[in-house]
Amino acid sequence: MALYIDHSFIKKVSQEWRWGIVAIYTSALYVFLPFGPRFWRFVLGQWGHSINYLGLFLVCVLGAYFLVYLIFQKQVRDISVYLAFILISFSCLAILKYMCSTGPERFHLLMYGILSCIIFWAFKNDVKKTRIYFYTTILVFLLGTTDELIQGLLPMRVFDVKDIFMNWLSSVMGELFIAFVLRPDV
């Protein structure tokens, strides 16, 4: 089929590399923290306030990719998968619209949703059954809380409980997507 993309390499990545990727991604999030406000001012200066909707755009692009993946590559026929996909997608859009007031806040859903998926992937070979979802969500919550604690120590950054909640909620959305839409063998 013309739309086929080979994802088999993902299963072949060693456990050490999986956790290495988690460490690199998390480190990148933390290292970027001091530069976030300056970077965002630069981006706003270049592209104006329309850039505030980039997070929303990227979430929509990922959603479209996964919908095409489900229909054409995985050939899912179970209507409950599509209902879950629609419910989770609209929940993500509602979070972006009603809980995020600035452009940088809109990236929480994307950044910590991706982190959740990467951590799930790293845990997949070591943790069995439904505990994998619990462990993943707890670890993302702890990493998101660490993110905010670091921000509380940096000049021009602030500690915000709402951001911790957004990081956790992003993790939950990622885990719901994995559990009810992608449905991996765990």
Side-chain angles (χ1 to χ4, degrees):
M1 171 171 260
L3 293 172
Y4 183 77
I5 299 172
D6 185 16
H7 293 108
S8 64
F9 70 92
I10 292 173
K11 294 178 181 177
K12 297 175 185 173
V13 176
S14 72
Q15 208 55 24
E16 293 81 19
W17 271 103
R18 290 177 184 211
W19 284 109
I21 291 168
V22 170
I24 290 167
Y25 185 85
T26 306
S27 297
L29 289 176
Y30 292 166
V31 166
F32 185 73
L33 288 174
F35 309 105
R38 187 176 312 141
F39 174 75
W40 198 253
R41 282 192 304 275
F42 169 77
V43 168
L44 284 174
Q46 296 296 313
W47 292 285
H49 288 284
S50 62
I51 197 73
N52 286 333
Y53 296 97
L54 182 61
L56 174 65
F57 173 74
L58 292 175
V59 168
C60 289
V61 167
L62 278 174
Y65 167 78
F66 279 111
L67 187 58
V68 167
Y69 170 77
L70 289 171
I71 294 169
F72 295 108
Q73 187 167 342
K74 208 171 177 187
Q75 298 179 348
V76 173
R77 301 286 182 242
D78 186 356
I79 193 73
S80 66
V81 170
Y82 295 104
L83 291 174
F85 178 86
I86 290 167
L87 184 63
I88 293 167
S89 297
F90 280 119
S91 297
C92 288
L93 292 173
I95 290 167
L96 287 169
K97 180 166 177 59
Y98 298 110
M99 294 185 71
C100 302
S101 56
T102 66
E105 283 181 351
R106 290 186 178 101
F107 279 94
H108 281 266
L109 194 64
L110 186 63
M111 291 184 312
Y112 280 88
I114 290 171
L115 179 61
S116 179
C117 292
I118 295 170
I119 290 174
F120 179 91
W121 174 59
F123 270 135
K124 193 164 179 346
N125 293 337
D126 294 333
V127 179
K128 300 298 178 200
K129 305 290 180 200
T130 57
R131 288 180 294 183
I132 192 170
Y133 299 101
F134 176 73
Y135 293 158
T136 300
T137 304
I138 292 299
L139 184 54
V140 173
F141 173 78
L142 293 172
L143 293 172
T145 302
T146 303
D147 178 325
E148 288 305 310
L149 291 171
I150 292 169
Q151 287 186 56
L153 299 172
L154 294 172
M156 297 178 56
R157 298 305 300 254
V158 294
F159 176 87
D160 189 357
V161 174
K162 179 184 174 191
D163 285 351
I164 293 173
F165 178 71
M166 288 297 298
N167 297 341
W168 174 79
L169 191 58
S170 301
S171 172
V172 169
M173 289 287 114
E175 294 307 299
L176 288 173
F177 189 82
I178 290 170
F180 294 107
V181 176
L182 298 180
R183 296 183 175 181
D185 299 327
V186 288

